[in-house]
Amino acid sequence: MSPVWSLVAGLLLLLLWVRHRGLEAVLVHHRWVFVCFFLMPLSILFDVYYHLRAWVVWRLHSAPRQHAQRVRNIQAQVREWKKEDSKRYMCTGRPGWLTVSLRVGKYKKTHKNIMINLMDVLEVDSERQVVRVEPLVTMGQLTAYLNPMGWTVPVVPELDDLTVGGLIMGTGIESSSHIYGLFQHTCVAYELVLADGSLVRCSPTENSDLFYAVPWSCGTLGFLVAAEIKMVPAKKYVKLHYHPVRGLQKICEKFTEESEKKENSFVEGLMYSLDEAVIMTGVLTDEAEQSKINRIGNYYKPWFFKHVEQYLKEDRTGTEYIPSRHYYHRHTRSIFWELQDIIPFGNNPVFRYLFGWMVPPKISLLKLTQGEAIRKLYEQHHVVQDMLVPMKSLEKSIQTFHNDLHVYPLWLCPFILPNNPGMVHPKGDETELYVDVGAYGEPRRKQFEARASMRQMEKFVRSIHGFQMLYADCYMTREEFWDMFDGSLYHKLREQMNCKDAFPEVYDKICKAARH
């Protein structure tokens, strides 16, 4: 039998099995079948389309010429909404399932959708060391564009599909953030279309209030149409050192010590239990020992978090040279460690060698096809949360995560938080070192109940002057939300720029108490 007929026969048997079990039962209890045979091939087609499109744009240099016209089209849509004297709020017309956030935004169905088709790199200014991009440019697209020119951006948030707009209007972080801060702190200017249809540029010296209010506003002050981001010289490799540590106190001391060293280009920690972790520190370099080069991003390689765990199991330190782009996207293939819950055998060498080139499936496609049953299952029995807490409260925070959630691995990523105006800043007048504690997976705590457990976690984070990333499920009341975040500048600008009738308040857009 030819390979084609074998494939056809296999697909027919699969369809018969699905029909026998029922589609919903397969999607809930055997989701890997649907992901492996449908979503992974479809994800490849998505990638081919976007890479082909980016190549055509680059060859024709069409992006800079068409950008102004596209922005004028957005302005026209806003002015049309204003002329209609509509009582509906505005939002971007991008489908909710296309976003990386696992939250389902129901407001898209009731708000006026403004179509924003802006996904191109516009300009690389080597003299100013700034790249100007449109909001739907992804991290994978941006690094692939800049690296061959010898540049990169200072903070490259982990997943390929994260967009510049999402990282500005929400937030973004990476293991270089202990030097550069959050993604917003590497931006030097934004261009927005406001509620009256006007186009405004803002920077620390031009419309500075708007510049500092935009991050974390989730598109409730205007539509982002371009951003200017700092660039730094790229190097070929990251020299990465792995250091296993045992004992919670020692883990926190080691992590804090390494995070305070500016000579470390990168600092990251993975906690595999309450008292076991691997602390990683890296420096950029153009030279490498050939025998120690690890191209961890190759499709047949072990998932990064599993590779790191070997140093803990073998109780040894180690040093490797990882190609820079492989390092920047080291957690992409396994979506940190979320993919092990979807494809339990995904890190098996046989699977990696045969099908690893199709991994990961697009998060947007996972959302689109999850169905109500899976959505409710995830909501009640799955956690995806990033809490930003002061470094001085790290030990207490990890203990709280352990008691309330018991999810491992935990991701630890340090960042410097300057005392700038806006929704997120330290309690005092000085810049302060914070850490992102990321929990992604199924809680092992027996008494876990999504709403009660997360409200308890949110209360703790507020008590230590921490912050919750807004892509995740948020259970706070309005009063609790504005106790966590500083809304003074945000509310002032919404009043001044007549945003109240044009855009929902950020709380109403992201919090469960407002959306249900």
Side-chain angles (χ1 to χ4, degrees):
M1 185 182 291
S2 71
V4 173
W5 284 110
S6 299
L7 180 62
V8 169
L11 287 173
L12 283 174
L13 288 172
L14 175 65
L15 290 172
L16 288 171
W17 179 71
V18 169
R19 185 178 179 184
H20 171 70
R21 292 297 306 269
L23 181 59
E24 185 170 295
V26 170
L27 289 179
V28 173
H29 301 294
H30 306 279
R31 201 176 184 202
W32 64 268
V33 175
F34 186 68
V35 169
C36 290
F37 288 97
F38 181 71
L39 291 192
M40 281 167 38
L42 192 58
S43 297
I44 292 293
L45 294 178
F46 258 62
D47 281 337
V48 168
Y49 166 75
Y50 280 110
H51 281 110
L52 186 61
R53 183 188 180 282
W55 180 83
V56 169
V57 167
W58 176 73
R59 293 291 295 179
L60 300 179
H61 299 287
S62 62
R65 290 203 305 267
Q66 294 183 11
H67 174 74
Q69 179 56 47
R70 289 174 184 157
V71 172
R72 284 194 291 271
N73 178 259
I74 294 166
Q75 290 178 280
Q77 292 179 71
V78 173
R79 286 169 182 149
E80 183 184 347
W81 165 86
K82 192 176 180 184
K83 193 192 303 181
E84 292 171 355
D85 195 26
S86 177
K87 301 299 180 186
R88 291 191 298 163
Y89 291 132
M90 290 184 289
C91 68
T92 65
R94 190 185 188 210
W97 60 269
L98 270 176
T99 63
V100 173
S101 168
L102 295 179
R103 185 174 58 244
V104 178
K106 296 181 180 179
Y107 61 87
K108 296 278 186 181
K109 297 177 181 178
T110 57
H111 293 184
K112 169 73 172 177
N113 283 208
I114 304 297
M115 301 311 297
I116 298 179
N117 185 30
L118 301 171
M119 55 181 71
D120 297 316
V121 178
L122 298 174
E123 179 186 2
V124 176
D125 188 334
S126 298
E127 188 174 328
R128 291 175 57 218
Q129 295 194 14
V130 166
V131 59
R132 182 167 172 255
V133 301
E134 293 180 327
L136 295 182
V137 167
T138 67
M139 285 298 100
Q141 178 186 351
L142 187 57
T143 54
Y145 191 95
L146 291 179
N147 287 171
M149 300 180 188
W151 295 104
T152 187
V153 289
V155 175
V156 184
E158 180 54 48
L159 301 177
D160 278 8
D161 291 340
L162 292 170
T163 64
V164 167
L167 295 168
I168 291 170
M169 291 295 186
T171 195
I173 191 171
E174 188 39 85
S175 54
S176 57
S177 289
H178 67 295
I179 298 173
Y180 298 106
L182 299 171
F183 187 81
Q184 69 202 53
H185 301 128
T186 68
C187 297
V188 296
Y190 309 127
E191 296 168 40
L192 296 101
V193 172
L194 304 183
D196 61 359
S198 62
L199 176 64
V200 172
R201 183 179 186 275
C202 58
S203 72
T205 57
E206 179 185 6
N207 298 308
S208 59
D209 278 358
L210 181 58
F211 177 79
Y212 289 117
V214 162
W216 295 76
S217 66
C218 298
T220 59
L221 293 174
F223 295 109
L224 185 70
V225 294
E228 294 176 26
I229 309 165
K230 295 175 188 174
M231 298 189 304
V232 294
K235 294 191 176 181
K236 293 180 181 178
Y237 300 99
V238 173
K239 182 181 180 181
L240 195 63
H241 181 71
Y242 303 87
H243 190 101
V245 187
R246 286 180 167 80
L248 181 56
Q249 185 178 347
K250 289 183 178 179
I251 290 169
C252 295
E253 288 173 354
K254 178 68 174 175
F255 187 75
T256 304
E257 176 190 336
E258 297 297 343
S259 300
E260 291 173 344
K261 293 179 181 177
K262 299 304 180 185
E263 60 266 31
N264 287 328
S265 305
F266 307 98
V267 178
E268 175 183 24
L270 294 184
M271 292 202 64
Y272 292 90
S273 71
L274 181 61
D275 58 1
E276 293 180 310
V278 178
I279 308 299
M280 289 159 279
T281 57
V283 293
L284 287 163
T285 178
D286 283 322
E287 306 297 328
E289 298 176 44
Q290 292 300 310
S291 62
K292 292 185 178 181
I293 293 176
N294 184 0
R295 304 184 188 279
I296 194 68
N298 288 348
Y299 69 88
Y300 51 83
K301 288 284 189 172
W303 289 346
F304 184 71
F305 79 98
K306 287 293 188 183
H307 172 66
V308 173
E309 190 176 17
Q310 286 301 116
Y311 289 94
L312 185 66
K313 288 181 176 179
E314 296 169 12
D315 196 25
R316 65 181 177 91
T317 61
T319 301
E320 293 180 325
Y321 294 84
I322 299 178
S324 295
R325 192 155 186 270
H326 288 226
Y327 177 80
Y328 288 135
H329 302 286
R330 62 200 178 281
H331 292 297
T332 293
R333 287 188 302 124
S334 55
I335 317 178
F336 280 85
W337 30 92
E338 288 276 61
L339 200 57
Q340 67 180 351
D341 291 334
I342 299 171
I343 308 177
F345 47 83
N347 194 48
N348 183 283
V350 175
F351 181 87
R352 293 200 313 266
Y353 274 89
L354 293 178
F355 305 108
W357 58 276
M358 289 194 289
V359 166
K362 292 286 185 188
I363 295 175
S364 53
L365 295 179
L366 289 171
K367 281 175 62 178
L368 180 64
T369 59
Q370 67 181 0
E372 191 63 19
I374 294 178
R375 189 188 67 77
K376 288 181 177 177
L377 193 69
Y378 264 65
E379 192 173 288
Q380 292 301 320
H381 304 288
H382 198 87
V383 165
V384 180
Q385 291 284 347
D386 283 88
M387 298 296 187
L388 314 182
V389 300
M391 185 68 80
K392 62 191 178 188
S393 302
L394 178 58
E395 185 173 345
K396 190 193 303 184
S397 299
I398 293 172
Q399 188 69 61
T400 301
F401 267 76
H402 178 81
N403 294 339
D404 292 351
L405 302 180
H406 204 283
V407 172
Y408 291 100
L410 284 178
W411 189 53
L412 304 181
C413 184
F415 68 99
I416 201 77
L417 185 60
N419 190 31
N420 293 337
M423 286 175 60
V424 173
H425 55 76
K427 190 172 185 178
D429 297 329
E430 302 295 325
T431 294
E432 188 174 344
L433 191 60
Y434 269 62
V435 57
D436 176 2
V437 183
Y440 325 118
E442 184 180 346
R444 301 298 178 185
R445 181 175 178 263
K446 292 182 179 179
Q447 293 80 24
F448 177 80
E449 193 279 317
R451 186 178 184 278
S453 297
M454 285 316 306
R455 278 189 54 75
Q456 188 170 319
M457 179 69 70
E458 290 164 349
K459 181 180 179 182
F460 165 77
V461 172
R462 288 197 305 275
S463 74
I464 58 172
H465 199 72
F467 307 94
Q468 180 180 22
M469 280 199 185
L470 300 184
Y471 76 87
D473 284 335
C474 173
Y475 294 86
M476 290 182 280
T477 65
R478 193 179 305 273
E479 292 72 25
E480 290 167 344
F481 182 85
W482 290 119
D483 180 43
M484 177 179 284
F485 296 97
D486 182 353
S488 54
L489 181 61
Y490 172 79
H491 290 303
K492 172 188 157 187
L493 285 177
R494 275 181 58 86
E495 192 75 44
Q496 286 180 359
M497 300 191 307
N498 298 316
C499 293
K500 289 188 173 182
D501 294 327
F503 306 106
E505 186 183 299
V506 62
Y507 174 82
D508 295 312
K509 198 170 181 180
I510 62 99
C511 284
K512 278 186 167 290
R515 291 183 288 116
H516 296 285

